[in-house]
Amino acid sequence: MANIVCLGGGHGLFQTLTALRRQGEKDITAVVSVADDGGSSGRIRKELEQIPPGDLRMAIAALIPDNAGSSPVGWEELLQHRFGGHGALAGHAVGNLLIAAVTEITGSSVTALDTVVRASGAVGRVLPVSCQPLQIEADVSGLDPTNIGNIYPVRGQVAVASTTGSVQRVRLIPANPRPSEETLDAISQADLITLGPGSWFTSVIPDVLIPGVEQAINASLATTVVVLNLSAEPGETAGFTAERHLYMLKRHSQRLHVDYFLVDKNMVNSEKEQRELVISASDFGAQVLFRDLCEKDQFGTPTDRHDPALLGAALMEIKDHVAS
C-alpha cells in the first residue's frame, strides 16, 4: 500500500477519493480546501466562525466503504442528507452539523474530522489544508461591457465560481494563512500526491497558494499527478482549453513540480492541442498521459464526471509504474 495524499475539494476530490478507495487503497489522506462560503457551509462558518465543513464532509463520505454497516441508513447517506423545509435547518447537511458540533466540543477541527472518520468507518484521513476559514478574491476582466479590459476584484468562492467575467488571478484572504501541521506531515510522507480535478480557481489552485504547501510537495519524494478537468466549467473557466488550465496553474504556482498530467483523451481533440499541452506540461517537468477517464451514461454518452473505475485504473497505472 502507498501513502496517497489527494488535494482539492468538492465533487472533483470526491471522485478521486472514490476511485482510489475502490482500488483497495486505504492509506489515503484528503487535503481539503476551506474557502467555501455558500449554502450550509457558508452559514456555519459565519455563525460559528469555523472552517466550512461541506467539502470535508464530502471527502469523508467518499472514503466510506460501499458496504459499510448493515443498518437501513448507511453513514454516507446520513452524512450527505440535507434537511428540507423552510426552517432554520433547511439546507443543512447532517455531516456539516456533525463536524461543526464535534469541532465545538473538542476545540479542534482536525480532532473533529478524525472522530467522524472513525465513527463512520471511512478509510484514511481527512484534513483541512488550513485550520483558518479562508476567502478567495479574484481579479476578473470582462465585467464591464463598455471596457472589457478593466479588471475588477471579486471576493468569495461562490462569486468567483459564478462570475460572468474572465478570471485572471486569484489570491487568498488572509494573504498568508498557516497550513495545518498535519497536512504538511502527510505530504512529506506521501508516495503519491494528486491535485484536482475540481473547480480550478476555487478548489484546486487555492491549495497550492497556502504558504508551505507547494514547497512541501516539491520536497517530498512522492510522484505528483495533476488530474485535469474533463471540460471547462461555466463561470470561472468558461472557454478554457486544457492548455489554458496548465497556464493558469503555472501562473499561480511557478515552482510547483509535477510528474504527470492525467488528461481525458477525448478532451484534447487535435494533434496541435496535444502538442501545446505537452509543451506546457514540460514547464512543470511533467509528462502528459492521455487516458479514457470520462463516465458514460446508460446510452454511452459522456457525462461531466470522471468515472471512478477508469480514473482509479489510471492512477494505479502511475503508481505501479513508479514502484517498478
Side-chain angles (χ1 to χ4, degrees), residues 168-206:
Q168 303 300 317
R169 185 176 289 276
V170 291
R171 53 190 164 271
L172 297 175
I173 300 172
N176 293 297
R178 293 177 57 188
S180 69
E181 290 299 324
E182 293 83 359
T183 286
L184 295 183
D185 288 344
I187 291 173
S188 70
Q189 297 173 39
D191 300 303
L192 179 68
I193 296 171
T194 72
L195 179 65
S199 298
W200 212 240
F201 289 114
T202 55
S203 290
V204 177
I205 289 175

Side-chain angles (χ1 to χ4, degrees), residues 115-140:
T115 301
V116 177
V117 164
R118 286 195 300 271
S120 65
V123 301
R125 197 177 191 193
V126 174
L127 296 171
V129 68
S130 172
C131 292
Q132 298 174 254
L134 306 176
Q135 277 197 321
I136 295 171
E137 185 174 76
D139 292 332
V140 180

